[in-house]
Amino acid sequence: DSGVTQTPKHLITATGQRVTLRCSPRSGDLSVYWYQQSLDQGLQFLIQYYNGEERAKGNILERFSAQQFPDLHSELNLSSLELGDSALYFCASSGEGAVRPISTDTQYFGPGTRLTVL
Amino acid sequence: LAKTTQPISMDSYEGQEVNITCSHNNIATNDYITWYQQFPSQGPRFIIQGYKTKVTNEVASLFIPADRKSSTLSLPRVSLSDTAVYYCLVGDIYSGAGSYQLTFGKGTKLSVIP
């Protein structure tokens, strides 16, 4: 158990809909990262927040948005969903993440949310 | 660009030492090398990180030559529970307009055989 929690575990929805994925980082961690993992694309970095502020942006679509709240939990909002958005979405947290390169941060991953778009 | 190249898959018998090599010819001066392990339908798990020479912890060793253009993850005496995908992560890749890529790549699928 990494200490990172994600809800829901599974989510099934239809095309065109909007969903919100939630992540609670490990106690004391200020950084939250979001990833998408699909069979054909591997693990894709979406976005990183550090203490409520966006720190780095990766391959995140304009239909997707995220935020980190004062209590440090984070939400990933996915809208106008398409079939191709079906994937595992992981959240990770770290006690680092304030400086570049963020690839050096030791990230602790949650169990993921499996999104299925029908 | 700190792009990485790893073998797609490897097989090993239980009890053997396994070495997985990652090539990263364009590694930058301030890049570290980090390895993660991922089991099916689970999030990746940090294994080890290093900058140069050799790093060892309770689960693995990481060997990095002087030129840092490659690194080798060494798993001693593997067991069936080590069957997983192993990712080598090196550097952020700036892709313009404030965007960065953390390239985990396809990873190496290790299958441990009884």
Side-chain angles (χ1 to χ4, degrees):
Chain A
D1 184 1
S2 66
V4 177
T5 60
Q6 289 187 248
T7 56
K9 190 173 178 63
H10 300 278
L11 197 51
I12 301 175
T13 188
T15 55
Q17 295 298 305
R18 173 190 169 93
V19 297
T20 298
L21 312 184
R22 182 187 169 103
C23 169
S24 293
R26 293 187 321 155
S27 178
D29 281 358
L30 297 180
S31 274
V32 169
Y33 314 75
W34 285 99
Y35 293 85
Q36 178 193 58
Q37 187 172 41
S38 56
L39 284 175
D40 57 345
Q41 292 293 324
L43 197 61
Q44 299 284 318
F45 168 66
L46 296 178
I47 199 164
Q48 179 218 0
Y49 278 82
Y50 177 80
N51 202 21
E53 299 290 327
E54 181 184 307
R55 282 282 299 166
K57 184 183 292 187
N59 275 335
I60 189 165
L61 300 172
E62 287 191 7
R63 300 183 287 109
F64 296 0
S65 65
Q67 55 184 327
Q68 186 179 28
F69 295 86
D71 67 353
L72 300 177
H73 91 272
S74 178
E75 292 181 356
L76 179 67
N77 300 296
L78 315 176
S79 61
S80 302
L81 285 168
E82 303 174 358
L83 296 177
D85 297 328
S86 294
L88 265 170
Y89 290 83
F90 289 107
C91 162
S93 77
S94 171
E96 301 144 298
V99 297
R100 187 80 51 224
I102 57 176
S103 59
T104 64
D105 302 341
T106 301
Q107 299 180 47
Y108 298 87
F109 283 77
T113 293
R114 183 173 293 279
L115 173 66
T116 302
V117 182
L118 301 176
Chain B
L1 301 181
K3 183 177 178 179
T4 60
T5 303
Q6 301 175 233
I8 294 174
S9 63
M10 295 181 69
D11 293 336
S12 176
Y13 288 100
E14 270 191 299
Q16 298 284 317
E17 177 185 77
V18 170
N19 295 309
I20 306 174
T21 296
C22 179
S23 297
H24 28 79
N25 292 320
N26 296 320
I27 188 169
T29 303
N30 61 347
D31 285 341
Y32 278 67
I33 300 152
T34 311
W35 285 81
Y36 286 83
Q37 173 194 55
Q38 187 179 26
F39 299 111
S41 297
Q42 294 186 25
R45 184 175 73 101
F46 172 86
I47 302 176
I48 197 166
Q49 183 181 85
Y51 183 80
K52 62 180 179 181
T53 63
K54 177 184 175 181
V55 179
T56 297
N57 62 22
E58 62 276 9
V59 297
S61 295
L62 180 59
F63 298 91
I64 305 168
D67 65 6
R68 301 196 336 116
K69 293 184 183 298
S70 67
S71 59
T72 299
L73 173 71
S74 181
L75 304 172
R77 299 180 299 282
V78 294
S79 63
L80 295 178
S81 62
D82 293 317
T83 294
V85 178
Y86 293 82
Y87 295 97
C88 164
L89 176 63
V90 177
D92 302 2
I93 302 171
Y94 183 62
S95 52
S99 292
Y100 293 84
Q101 304 300 324
L102 298 187
T103 303
F104 277 77
K106 300 290 188 183
T108 298
K109 185 174 182 179
L110 173 65
S111 298
V112 179
I113 307 163

